[in-house]
Amino acid sequence: MSNVLAQGARRGPAPRPDVAFTPVINGMDYLESVFEHLTRGKIPSARDLKYAVLHLQAATEVLLKARLKAEHFSLLFSHPGKATREKFERGDFQSCTTLEAVDRLRDIAQLAISKDDRERIEELGKTRNALQHYGLTLSAAAVEARAVGVLDFLITFIGRHLLPGLPSDEASRATDTMVSLAPRLGSVQALVTQRLTRLSDTLDRVVDVTVKCPDCKMWALVADGTAAGPRCLFCERAWESPHSAAVDYAFIMTELVPVPDSPGTWTTVVIDCLRCGESALVPEAVTTAPLPGPTPLCFACGTVFGYLADCGGCGNTLDSGPTPDKFPLCDPCFRVKHAGEDIL
């Protein structure tokens, strides 16, 4: 036996990695599995739907309880009045049910969880129990509908109620998972239909400032100038700044080729807004409004402009109004010209 083989024999096999998942990362891992099963092939098989339901139930329970723990650890106990820190740290307690977690998040943490969402979670739990313990005979469409109803809720719940309160490293990992899942949302047709139906009333009121999301490719990225900033109502993607949202949109969703003039600045596709001054104006955005072509939209203040043009006097960009102007002038140049001082 060679020295190398002898050394290998003495050392033995390499140590196996530990199984280490925090509750949130564990829940996100279950969620990834749900998408894998729902998007495997054009039509999910019965086995795929079974595991999508089982893992979605697990993801829902884990992530709801992770948010409940952030409120107070005692709320995880079946009987909070008997909770102690010692029992919690040992894991020596009976936890509340998934529906109890929903009720405590709604009644104690004051989270907006609707009656319909609670009923969907309850139905998913019944479906999971039937699959796990005594068998279930349902149409594939019925099982898928129950699954995607909760998945629809869970995506919103994670984005609005869970991610903002997580430690930075955990939030970063969970956000990366959400971003990786965004392109697959469109593959789950039942989910697409349900989410867009739920969002239709809201989206109908903001057609002038709604564009296609570069992540999930749904027409649900709203840049309305609110304090929340640009965000996609479909996949719950939120950007660090209006500028980054504008750059992502312009780079991915338009045919223009960005050229940086300085680190982090892409003036070819994003310019300074004529109203708020932020570098977040996309000259060729396409919104859901019934317009004949692209329209300038500021992702910072939500202003929709008419035709952008260079001033015939000073060369600065200006809004020439709803129709193109053959010889546009900004207000200062217009006043100078009509004051008898020909600047041209």
Side-chain angles (χ1 to χ4, degrees), residues 274-305:
L274 308 181
R275 180 182 176 187
C276 69
E278 290 283 333
S279 177
L281 174 56
V282 178
E284 297 193 19
V286 178
T287 70
T288 53
L291 299 172
T295 182
L297 170 65
C298 177
F299 280 59
C301 64
T303 300
V304 178
F305 295 93

Side-chain angles (χ1 to χ4, degrees), residues 74-318:
S74 66
L75 296 176
L76 292 175
F77 283 64
S78 177
H79 300 288
K82 298 180 179 180
T84 66
R85 173 66 71 174
E86 182 182 3
K87 288 182 179 179
F88 170 71
E89 291 179 349
R90 291 203 317 263
D92 181 21
F93 65 94
Q94 181 177 349
S95 67
C96 63
T97 66
T98 303
L99 285 180
E100 286 173 338
V102 171
D103 293 338
R104 292 173 187 182
L105 286 170
R106 188 172 57 179
D107 299 337
I108 299 173
Q110 296 291 291
L111 301 190
I113 300 177
S114 70
K115 178 182 178 182
D116 288 343
D117 285 330
R118 188 187 187 281
E119 290 177 355
R120 292 187 185 102
I121 293 170
E122 183 176 17
E123 284 300 315
L124 178 70
K126 292 177 180 177
T127 305
R128 179 264 180 197
N129 289 340
L131 284 170
Q132 186 80 5
H133 299 299
Y134 53 84
L136 177 69
T137 301
L138 275 178
S139 70
V143 174
E144 186 176 17
R146 293 187 186 189
V148 299
V150 177
L151 190 54
D152 174 39
F153 157 78
L154 201 56
I155 291 169
T156 302
F157 176 84
I158 293 169
R160 294 183 183 177
H161 302 306
L162 186 59
L163 289 180
L166 293 178
S168 59
D169 57 337
E170 200 169 32
S172 178
R173 291 181 63 184
T175 299
D176 288 345
T177 299
M178 291 292 286
V179 171
S180 72
L181 295 179
R184 284 187 269 173
L185 285 180
S187 301
V188 188
Q189 190 57 49
L191 173 63
V192 172
T193 301
Q194 176 149 340
R195 282 190 72 76
L196 291 181
T197 298
R198 172 181 288 199
L199 296 170
S200 61
D201 289 342
T202 300
L203 292 173
D204 286 346
R205 294 193 294 269
V206 289
V207 293
D208 290 342
V209 292
T210 300
V211 297
K212 184 179 286 189
C213 173
D215 272 13
C216 67
K217 304 302 187 293
M218 293 291 112
W219 290 86
L221 197 173
V222 179
D224 54 3
T226 62
R231 71 267 182 219
C232 177
L233 301 186
F234 186 85
C235 70
E236 292 292 329
R237 170 72 188 277
W239 279 261
E240 294 179 358
S241 67
H243 174 73
S244 62
V247 169
D248 276 1
Y249 172 79
F251 179 59
I252 297 173
M253 305 308 302
T254 73
E255 297 179 356
L256 299 176
V257 179
V259 178
D261 65 349
S262 62
T265 303
W266 304 79
T267 55
T268 302
V269 291
V270 177
I271 63 176
D272 292 344
C273 177
L274 308 181
R275 180 182 176 187
C276 69
E278 290 283 333
S279 177
L281 174 56
V282 178
E284 297 193 19
V286 178
T287 70
T288 53
L291 299 172
T295 182
L297 170 65
C298 177
F299 280 59
C301 64
T303 300
V304 178
F305 295 93
Y307 287 87
L308 297 184
D310 293 333
C311 173
C314 62
N316 290 331
T317 303
L318 59 85

